[in-house]
């Protein structure tokens, strides 16, 4: 009898752009139904990894799963309102789709944006609509590329809470790329650091975060120690 794998595996992928090797025989096992946070210097291959996973960058022999991708830019449909940008990706009848979309917008503090078009939204609002869409879309893997970048700190903190709440309800396999160590510690089940190299990117740090999410906050000794540990590795790269 075959038991179902507990990880989603990327095995021996290679990506080159011209004479630049981003990945060579790179492998990574993503624990299913967990959040893997990816940190690492600019240019280390974080976005490329998400593109490979999603199939945007096709790799021979790699079969990409059904993905929900929150990009660094919002990529909303310009001729649809914020509400319809969410409703369009949902299944069901019109009324229930709009209802779910409305609820999500309200949780993302975007009630007033419902009927606005993307060009009428501030950058931060559009980004939140994109995060909302990513969370609502039913997929096997959720990919987020620095989703909270550029949002002010208070909002960032609240959105991380909402993100956690929605995520807990579905527990999808998630890859979350961020530059923020704290953000990673607040959301991750596992944190990895990618570093670039002549021979392609390598995972130079890989750690499970076992502290319950609800107990994670600045000032907690375990959180602070982990922050320092990760900080010291990143500044040395
Ligand atoms: P990160 O997201 O970690 O900052 P990327 O995955 O975007 O890094 O990029 C990894 C490396 O690959 C960088 O050196 C980048 O310049 C290069 N790269 C990414 N996409 C392309 C592309 N389409 N064409 C050429 N080079 C690329
Ligand atoms: Mg990137």
């Amino acid at each position: 009898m075959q038991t179902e794998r507990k990880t989603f595996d990327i095995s021996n992928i290679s990506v080159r752009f011209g004479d630049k090797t981003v990945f060579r025989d790179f492998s990574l096992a993503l624990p299913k139904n967990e959040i893997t946070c990816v940190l690492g210097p600019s240019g280390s291959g974080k976005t490329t990894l998400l593109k490979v996973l999603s199939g945007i960058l096709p790799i021979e022999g790699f079969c990409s799963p059904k993905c929900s991708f929150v990009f660094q830019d919002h990529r909303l449909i310009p001729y649809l309102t914020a509400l319809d940008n969410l409703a369009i990706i949902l299944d069901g009848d019109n009324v229930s789709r709009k209802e779910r979309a409305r609820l999500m917008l309200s949780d993302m503090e975007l009630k007033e944006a419902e009927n606005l078009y993307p060009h009428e939204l501030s950058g931060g609002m559009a980004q939140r609509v994109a995060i909302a869409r990513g969370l609502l879309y039913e997929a096997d893997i959720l990919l987020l590329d620095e989703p909270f970048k550029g949002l002010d700190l208070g909002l960032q903190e609240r959105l991380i809470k909402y993100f956690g709440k929605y995520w807990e309800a579905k527990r999808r396999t998630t890859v979350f790329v961020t530059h923020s160590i704290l953000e990673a510690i607040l959301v991750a089940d596992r944190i990895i650091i990618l570093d670039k190299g002549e021979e392609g990117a390598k995972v130079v740090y890989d750690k499970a975060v076992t502290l319950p999410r609800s107990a994670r906050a600045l000032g907690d000794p375990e959180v602070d120690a982990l922050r320092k540990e990760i900080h010291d590795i990143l500044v040395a790269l």
Side-chain angles (χ1 to χ4, degrees):
M1 198 181 83
Q2 259 196 334
T3 49
E4 211 197 326
R5 291 194 65 84
K6 289 196 167 49
T7 52
F8 181 85
D9 297 328
I10 301 163
S11 304
N12 305 103
I13 59 153
S14 296
V15 177
R16 294 172 61 107
F17 296 111
D19 56 7
K20 184 175 183 69
T21 301
V22 183
F23 293 109
R24 180 180 294 169
D25 278 336
F26 179 86
S27 299
L28 184 66
L30 299 167
K32 282 189 180 163
N33 309 322
E34 291 191 5
I35 301 177
T36 301
C37 275
V38 183
L39 291 159
S42 281
S44 56
K46 304 180 296 297
T47 298
T48 303
L49 179 65
L50 297 187
K51 286 183 177 169
V52 169
L53 271 166
S54 63
I56 290 176
L57 197 64
I59 299 279
E60 216 181 287
F62 178 74
C63 186
S64 81
K66 185 179 176 190
C67 290
S68 178
F69 201 147
V70 180
F71 297 90
Q72 274 174 294
D73 50 340
H74 64 73
R75 304 202 187 186
L76 297 174
I77 300 174
Y79 53 83
L80 292 181
T81 62
L83 188 73
D84 287 338
N85 260 283
L86 300 193
I88 197 172
I89 56 104
L90 294 171
D91 289 327
D93 62 84
N94 234 342
V95 175
S96 99
R97 287 190 298 136
K98 291 217 176 188
E99 206 170 290
R100 277 177 287 157
R102 212 166 264 131
L103 190 65
M104 176 59 103
L105 285 180
S106 153
D107 269 355
M108 294 296 244
E109 302 183 26
L110 285 166
K111 232 181 163 68
E112 73 285 2
E114 256 184 47
N115 298 314
L116 299 181
Y117 289 86
H119 76 272
E120 298 173 307
L121 302 171
S122 71
M125 289 166 102
Q127 190 55 15
R128 274 182 284 157
V129 178
I131 295 166
R133 179 179 59 179
L135 285 172
L136 277 177
Y137 184 62
E138 295 284 345
D140 300 321
I141 297 197
L142 173 61
L143 307 172
L144 302 112
D145 202 354
E146 305 190 35
F148 303 126
K149 195 176 170 182
L151 300 177
D152 67 71
L153 272 181
L155 184 60
Q156 209 172 333
E157 244 169 60
R158 296 198 298 278
L159 289 186
I160 288 172
K161 285 217 181 85
Y162 292 135
F163 173 79
K165 178 183 132 188
Y166 273 93
W167 188 86
E168 286 292 345
K170 300 262 162 131
R171 300 191 74 83
R172 274 181 293 167
T173 308
T174 298
V175 185
F176 188 115
V177 170
T178 176
H179 264 109
S180 158
I181 300 173
L182 182 61
E183 205 171 282
I185 295 174
L186 292 178
V187 301
D189 292 294
R190 178 182 176 208
I191 295 176
I192 65 170
I193 297 177
L194 265 191
D195 189 24
K196 55 189 159 189
E198 284 294 307
E199 300 288 299
K202 298 261 180 305
V203 173
V204 294
Y205 177 87
D206 186 342
K207 185 147 189 168
V209 187
T210 51
L211 194 69
R213 273 192 195 79
S214 56
R216 298 181 201 176
L218 270 179
D220 175 275
E222 208 172 309
V223 167
D224 290 352
L226 191 55
R227 256 186 120 194
K228 182 165 183 339
E229 180 176 300
I230 294 172
H231 173 268
D232 291 349
I233 293 169
L234 284 173
V235 293
L237 292 178

